[in-house]
Amino acid sequence: MGTWIAIAIGMFVLGTIMALKPSVVDMRLDKLRMTARRLELNPKVVACPDWVRGRNNEFGKGMIGQYSLIMDDMKFPETHYQVVDGVLKFENAQAQGSDVNSQSSSIDESHSTSKQRIAQRLQGEPLNLPPSMAPLVKGVYLKANSLVVFWQDGSYVQPATNPNFKIQQIEPELSALKSTMQSWAQKLVSKDG
């Protein structure tokens, strides 16, 4: 009888320990985000913005990965881009105010038009990302000195959505993402000034 009680207690303890162990997908996601941090891509999980297609391909639904590259020596106009058929589609993120005086209005319009021209430089820009990553990118956002990519990083590490996933791919593919973000930033500032 004592043997059965010892076995039951052992099974209970083993079950509790096994329940605390993270799943394979969670470990992959942790590896992805830790590598992104090391590459200075600043990963976060945020509520999906209203202009980004999130869960079930609906705007603003669910949570999404936000990877941002901060560039202290650059300034960007606040802008966002949808990803449509593998290319960036420009959308103005700033609403135009209607109650400004006429003198400052012409200055603001000129400044706004200049910023809009700069932001439109990425219009139609291809993603140029690895095939396992490109369909998961949903939007790009520019603000101040950062360039942000919204993508479904959780789907990247899941066997159902990325059956060819290999741990060794993480760093080269995140490096490709960072290089693409840097080239977009250079394209935005190259004709400026």
Side-chain angles (χ1 to χ4, degrees):
M1 177 80 170
T3 305
W4 290 109
I5 293 173
I7 290 173
I9 291 172
M11 294 296 283
F12 177 75
V13 169
L14 184 62
T16 304
I17 291 171
M18 294 302 288
L20 295 175
K21 184 179 175 195
S23 71
V24 173
V25 172
D26 288 340
M27 290 189 298
R28 289 176 172 183
L29 193 54
D30 182 55
K31 171 82 170 155
L32 175 72
R33 291 179 181 156
M34 292 304 286
T35 303
R37 275 188 192 89
R38 193 168 39 79
L39 293 173
E40 298 176 345
L41 286 174
N42 306 310
K44 290 183 191 176
V45 179
V46 296
C48 190
D50 293 340
W51 57 273
V52 174
R53 289 186 184 273
R55 185 182 60 222
N56 300 329
N57 219 16
E58 295 179 40
F59 287 102
K61 298 289 183 180
M63 302 297 280
I64 195 161
Q66 169 186 303
Y67 286 48
S68 60
L69 184 59
I70 297 170
M71 294 172 240
D72 292 325
D73 56 338
M74 297 182 184
K75 293 285 182 201
F76 305 115
E78 185 174 356
T79 311
H80 56 73
Y81 303 85
Q82 295 256 351
V83 176
V84 180
D85 297 327
V87 296
L88 300 180
K89 180 184 169 204
F90 170 74
E91 293 188 15
N92 191 1
Q94 294 181 344
Q96 298 296 323
S98 57
D99 57 344
V100 289
N101 67 39
S102 60
Q103 188 176 20
S104 68
S105 178
S106 64
I107 294 169
D108 290 344
E109 284 178 24
S110 165
H111 191 256
S112 177
T113 303
S114 173
K115 283 183 169 186
Q116 208 167 29
R117 274 195 311 253
I118 292 168
Q120 286 179 340
R121 291 181 187 160
L122 293 183
Q123 171 68 24
E125 189 72 21
L127 286 180
N128 292 331
L129 294 172
S132 58
M133 187 179 280
L136 302 173
V137 175
K138 301 300 179 182
V140 174
Y141 178 62
L142 303 172
K143 183 177 180 185
N145 65 343
S146 62
L147 197 148
V148 178
V149 171
F150 292 100
W151 72 302
Q152 296 170 331
D153 61 348
S155 296
Y156 175 77
V157 297
Q158 291 187 6
T161 52
N162 188 2
N164 299 323
F165 175 82
K166 293 185 178 98
I167 286 281
Q168 301 85 355
Q169 291 176 266
I170 290 176
E171 188 162 352
E173 290 188 355
L174 285 176
S175 293
L177 174 64
K178 183 176 181 178
S179 295
T180 300
M181 292 168 78
Q182 288 170 331
S183 74
W184 291 338
Q186 289 303 318
K187 189 166 190 168
L188 285 168
V189 297
S190 65
K191 298 173 189 170
D192 190 29

